[in-house]
Amino acid sequence: MVDFIQNTLDGIFIGSSYALLAIGFTLIFGVMRRLNLSYGPSIMLGVFAGTLLYIQLNAGLLVVGLATVVGAVLAGLYVERICFWAVRRGAALASMVSSFAIWMQLEEAVTIVFPDRTYPFPPLADFTLKLGPFWVRGEHLIMFICASLLTILLHLLLYRTRFGLAIRAVSENPTAAKFMGINTGLVVMFAFALASVIGGVAGYLIASTDQQVTPLFGLWATFKGLIAMTLGGMGSIPGAIAGGLLLGVIEAQSVWYLGTEYRDLVAYAVLFAFLVFRPGGLFAQKSAMQSRLAARRV
Amino acid sequence: MDDHLIQVFSNVGMISFIALSAYVLLLTGEISFGQQAFFAISAYASGIATAMWGWAFWPGLVWGAAVAGAAAFLLAWPTLRMRGLYFAIGTLAFAEMVRLIFEIFRYQVEIEGELVGPDGSEGFRGIRYIFESDISATQYMLIIYLLLSAVLAFLFAIERTRLGAIFRMLGEDELLAEMQGVNRTYYKVMATVIAGVIAGIGGALYAHMNTYIEPKIFNVMLGVHSLAYGLIGGLGTAFGPLIGVGLDIGLLESTRIFTGYRMVVFGGLVALLLIFRPRGLLDEAAVHAIKSLWRRFLPAAQTQRSNNRAPD
Amino acid sequence: MAVLEINDIVTAYGKIEALKGVSLSVAEGKITCLLGPNGAGKTTLMMTISGILKPQRGAIRFNGQDLAGKPARTVVGQGVALVPENRLVFPEMTVEENLKAGAYLRRDAGKVPSDIASVYERFPRLQERREQYAGTLSGGEQQMLAISRALMARPKLLLMDEPSLGLAPLIVEDIFRIVRELNNEGTTIFLVEQNAHMALQVAHHFYLIEQGKIVFDGSPDEMEEDEVIKRAYLGSKV
């Protein structure tokens, strides 16, 4: 039982970073109704921007973090302009494949500058807490706190500001949003930038927990985010959070009880089962609308 | 032809199978990220048949494709209810499950003092039937293209019959197709199985050409690439995916003109292409234009064509 | 005096022209109604005026400003608000948030709450449901919300695209009562309808559109006298 709870705790901590990735995914999906496969790779670019400053200038945590976020935002906007803004409306498949092409491009661009397999990333904290019979790693705790704070900020932004109202209006009905006088193109761009900020923070937290980065981070982040978003229900932010935490817990439990080689297998099996039996995700009822839209032809 | 060129052509041919497989599903309106699963299943199944059970190459290939088709049949049912993005993610989950199962799948027998068979993430060595039967690389390339032509002929035949029309109709508007009396379940399952068998043929060819396969070859990158090939080449004709594969593997990877930054160039080009041609180089309109040109200059071809039309 | 003047507008979807040179004008302070069958181009015209569709040629003048081909936000900014066909409320936003979205371009944010209050005064049902998701409202309530949302922009010209579509007869009467009320308060209204009977009771001027062309232009009396229109649009009841 102690083991089970310990795994659940670990899973929730790690899952908080998955939740951030899923939130970013869901924001983009919400305003675009299209899949941005390049989401992870653009975060990867940000993480490498951070690493570059760390290796070359021995920059501090804050500078590295800032570089990561700025890099992710710039790459995210590049993706938005080329794969989404420029591609004709109604051509969702073209956008998706285009985002894949840009993924390949970003990944190779990074490996040209960083030819080795892994590079160091500055750690956030190096302490471990003991709470009763349970252990909590410092960087996990910081990760969880940062993710929670960021989620609260995002919630305030979406539900308390005019800009948040515009994002939600575009997500629910872009045509109606235009009738309100909302500049939908601009809102989409800002939503991408916002998703990239969230992704950049997630990338920074994950990289500093791992204390290293690899060009494979892009692939990893895209699929973690995609799975977590689907588990929770596409287009729903509470769903993204729940999906991220669930994925973290599933992974932690399967590593403990079945072994590392079963971690992804179990995660994919749960994902598949969700798609078959509960395609709307954890919050199937609430996001019925989003699910219908997701099921539309891409 | 030199060895390098033969290798390039063989690779283009084999990857074309999986690109065509994704294309068949695209016709019916479904995006699959998971056709590499059938490629993998057949690679393992046919490899096991020839290397471990002592089967000949052709029965092994048929067996591999059949197992892939059966797997596709099983997958078709749970994914029937998934639409749009859900289908894409569902097939992705399935394919990754298949790959991860091969990562832990161990089944080995001793042959001539040597352990042969899949060894989890260590891969599966010694699929040497082609090598031991003295089939040259050129001959094998011809076999690949013979089979590819057969698959293409099959797809073109489908396009000219009611079946092709039904597939495209399902792709355009599923609900409308159903209202026209199309049995959605039947045709969706059929398309999935056809796609699975086509990928399976490619997988068996791949295993026997390389003599060694490992699970990580069949990762999601292979699947997304093959999907992209269809869109790059164009969704108007079965030649589309071949053009996509030819451009990427044939031209860029093999000529090595952009060694080191091939993807920077290719990724950018694809993104640009999709801005101007969101349904690929040979999209439906382009195919239509080519066909009418063809008809204008070759009136004989037209009569030939109408004679060949299926009697329905 | 005409507040909106439309001159020889052509709008096409690909190669198919949905509007083949439409000209009409909307008089200030009046209710002008555009009648026509399904697919005649009514909604296309509304989308073109609102700036969602770009016309191939032609002019749209609103208070002397050319709006043809301008984006929707410019059109709304100039004081033209649309109540879209099928209402298009934001289903997963509350009633009040929908109203706030309607006031998106307003620069006088301080006056928005009092406008919301006056909307609630006009539609007490919306006040009861202010915290409810708009998607949970009935069709009639959604239509009232869509009208209120458009009013939040304080439009000089209100465009209404088939406000009676899919609503029960009693509710349709309610909607038309509101249309008249808004007009009496000074709002110019350009209404697109299929329901000629209801439109006859409120509109001051009629246009009839068929296959992308204006085929009739006249007062309600002239319309009632026209034998062809009578047979096609008013049936035997009149």
Side-chain angles (χ1 to χ4, degrees), chain A residues 53-67:
Chain A
L53 289 187
Y54 177 62
I55 300 172
Q56 298 287 334
L57 307 171
N58 202 16
L61 282 181
L62 208 62
V63 177
V64 171
L66 207 64

Side-chain angles (χ1 to χ4, degrees), chain B:
Chain B
M1 269 201 231
D2 67 14
D3 289 351
H4 176 61
L5 213 56
I6 291 171
Q7 173 112 34
V8 168
F9 272 104
S10 302
N11 279 336
V12 168
M14 287 183 306
I15 301 301
S16 292
F17 283 97
I18 173 165
L20 282 172
S21 164
Y23 167 81
V24 169
L25 289 178
L26 274 178
L27 279 188
T28 67
E30 301 292 11
I31 294 166
S32 168
F33 285 155
Q35 295 311 106
Q36 70 275 24
F38 308 112
F39 199 77
I41 288 171
S42 172
Y44 273 90
S46 65
I48 289 170
T50 60
M52 299 168 71
W53 302 344
W55 291 22
F57 172 69
W58 288 104
L61 181 131
V62 170
W63 162 250
V67 174
F73 181 76
L74 290 180
L75 177 71
W77 297 101
T79 55
L80 205 54
R81 280 168 46 190
M82 301 176 193
R83 300 188 184 184
L85 270 186
Y86 292 105
F87 186 86
I89 297 171
T91 47
L92 165 82
F94 170 76
E96 285 291 271
M97 272 153 64
V98 167
R99 177 179 69 83
L100 292 162
I101 287 170
F102 282 130
E103 292 270 6
I104 48 178
F105 175 60
R106 277 182 192 81
Y107 166 51
Q108 291 185 302
V109 292
E110 210 181 292
I111 295 172
E112 292 163 13
E114 218 180 317
L115 275 179
V116 176
D119 184 18
S121 54
E122 293 296 304
F124 179 3
R125 273 165 221 291
I127 308 169
R128 284 197 294 261
Y129 186 92
I130 297 301
F131 182 69
E132 284 167 357
S133 313
D134 282 329
I135 296 172
S136 74
T138 315
Q139 283 168 325
Y140 197 64
M141 182 185 74
L142 291 176
I143 291 175
I144 292 173
Y145 277 89
L146 194 74
L147 286 168
L148 187 62
S149 313
V151 167
L152 274 175
F154 172 71
L155 290 178
F156 280 120
I158 282 184
E159 289 266 356
R160 289 187 182 200
T161 59
R162 215 172 75 91
L163 188 61
I166 289 173
F167 280 173
R168 280 198 188 265
M169 197 150 85
L170 281 169
E172 290 286 323
D173 190 335
E174 223 166 66
L175 205 64
L176 194 72
E178 267 185 294
M179 287 192 303
Q180 304 270 319
V182 170
N183 182 341
R184 175 177 174 269
T185 308
Y186 178 77
Y187 287 104
K188 285 263 164 176
V189 172
M190 187 196 272
T192 312
V193 172
I194 290 175
V197 170
I198 292 175
I201 299 172
L205 289 169
Y206 182 88
H208 286 84
M209 175 156 157
N210 288 285
T211 71
Y212 167 67
I213 49 178
E214 58 182 345
K216 71 168 180 249
I217 300 168
F218 310 106
N219 68 8
V220 59
M221 280 301 178
L222 179 61
V224 185
H225 266 114
S226 15
L227 181 72
Y229 290 141
L231 193 63
I232 295 165
L235 299 183
T237 159
F239 282 127
L242 302 196
I243 291 174
V245 179
L247 278 179
D248 183 30
I249 297 182
L251 213 62
L252 290 174
E253 183 174 296
S254 319
T255 53
R256 299 182 181 140
I257 28 176
F258 295 120
T259 309
Y261 53 99
R262 154 178 161 240
M263 271 305 162
V264 173
V265 175
F266 187 63
L269 282 179
V270 168
L272 274 182
L273 167 77
L274 291 172
I275 291 172
F276 298 106
R277 299 195 73 84
R279 285 182 76 78
L281 277 171
L282 291 178
D283 58 8
E284 288 85 345
V287 171
H288 187 77
I290 292 169
K291 274 186 187 159
S292 30
L293 265 181
W294 183 258
R295 257 171 247 153
R296 190 172 322 151
F297 289 116
L298 289 166
Q302 189 188 7
T303 41
Q304 182 93 37
R305 203 181 121 92
S306 46
N307 287 342
N308 285 347
R309 198 162 293 222
D312 61 279

Side-chain angles (χ1 to χ4, degrees), chain A residues 28 47-48 70 83 90 97 99 113 118 122 133 153 167 180 193 212-213 266 280 287 291:
Chain A
I28 295 175
V47 171
F48 271 93
V70 170
C83 309
V97 171
S99 72
V113 185
T118 60
L153 279 178
I167 290 191
M180 304 300 110
Q212 61 171 31
V213 289
V266 173
S287 59
S291 319

Side-chain angles (χ1 to χ4, degrees), chain C:
Chain C
M1 208 198 86
V3 62
L4 177 73
E5 270 184 284
I6 292 171
N7 204 346
D8 196 27
I9 279 287
V10 174
T11 304
Y13 298 100
K15 281 177 184 159
I16 303 151
E17 286 186 356
L19 299 178
K20 304 169 181 164
V22 168
S23 302
L24 55 80
S25 67
V26 173
E28 185 157 17
K30 302 285 189 209
I31 300 176
T32 305
C33 178
L34 179 69
L35 284 174
N38 266 336
K42 300 188 302 287
T43 296
T44 306
L45 181 62
M46 285 304 196
M47 299 286 245
T48 309
I49 302 173
S50 320
I52 301 292
L53 297 174
K54 277 197 185 358
Q56 258 63 24
R57 61 181 164 87
I60 299 171
R61 297 200 153 271
F62 177 69
N63 281 335
Q65 294 255 13
D66 189 12
L67 291 184
K70 296 272 160 56
R73 53 184 187 279
T74 310
V75 178
V76 179
Q78 289 293 324
V80 181
L82 173 77
V83 182
E85 187 183 19
N86 292 320
R87 309 176 274 276
L88 304 187
V89 295
F90 299 112
E92 290 186 35
M93 285 193 202
T94 64
V95 166
E96 193 146 319
E97 283 172 337
N98 267 274
L99 295 176
K100 282 182 183 157
Y104 183 76
L105 279 191
R106 289 270 295 274
R107 281 162 207 276
D108 50 344
K111 289 183 186 149
V112 171
S114 71
D115 281 13
I116 291 182
S118 64
V119 160
Y120 286 154
E121 217 167 288
R122 194 191 300 274
F123 302 108
R125 286 295 280 278
L126 295 185
Q127 179 158 33
E128 284 167 33
R129 292 163 202 269
R130 52 187 290 195
E131 292 302 325
Q132 227 167 295
Y133 280 135
T136 64
L137 302 182
S138 72
E141 289 164 346
Q142 287 191 12
Q143 187 64 56
M144 289 171 193
L145 179 58
I147 294 171
S148 310
R149 189 181 61 178
L151 290 177
M152 288 303 296
R154 289 209 177 165
K156 295 172 203 138
L157 170 65
L158 188 63
L159 306 173
M160 303 181 89
D161 195 350
E162 297 213 34
S164 70
L165 194 74
L167 298 181
L170 269 177
I171 295 164
V172 172
E173 287 202 26
D174 239 22
I175 299 284
F176 276 91
R177 182 182 53 74
I178 291 156
V179 169
R180 198 183 288 132
E181 208 175 281
L182 290 172
N183 181 242
N184 287 339
E185 291 164 19
T187 311
T188 308
I189 291 170
F190 183 31
L191 180 72
V192 156
E193 256 308 331
Q194 278 196 68
N195 188 336
H197 287 287
M198 287 311 297
L200 260 179
Q201 295 174 21
V202 297
H204 304 104
H205 196 90
F206 278 93
Y207 289 96
L208 182 61
I209 186 169
E210 277 179 0
Q211 292 171 4
K213 284 185 178 141
I214 299 290
V215 294
F216 173 86
D217 166 6
S219 67
D221 292 342
E222 286 168 331
M223 197 176 78
E224 278 182 290
E225 281 160 19
D226 192 304
E227 282 301 322
V228 182
I229 294 180
K230 223 159 99 179
R231 225 176 302 128
Y233 293 93
L234 299 169
S236 52
K237 279 189 196 165
V238 175

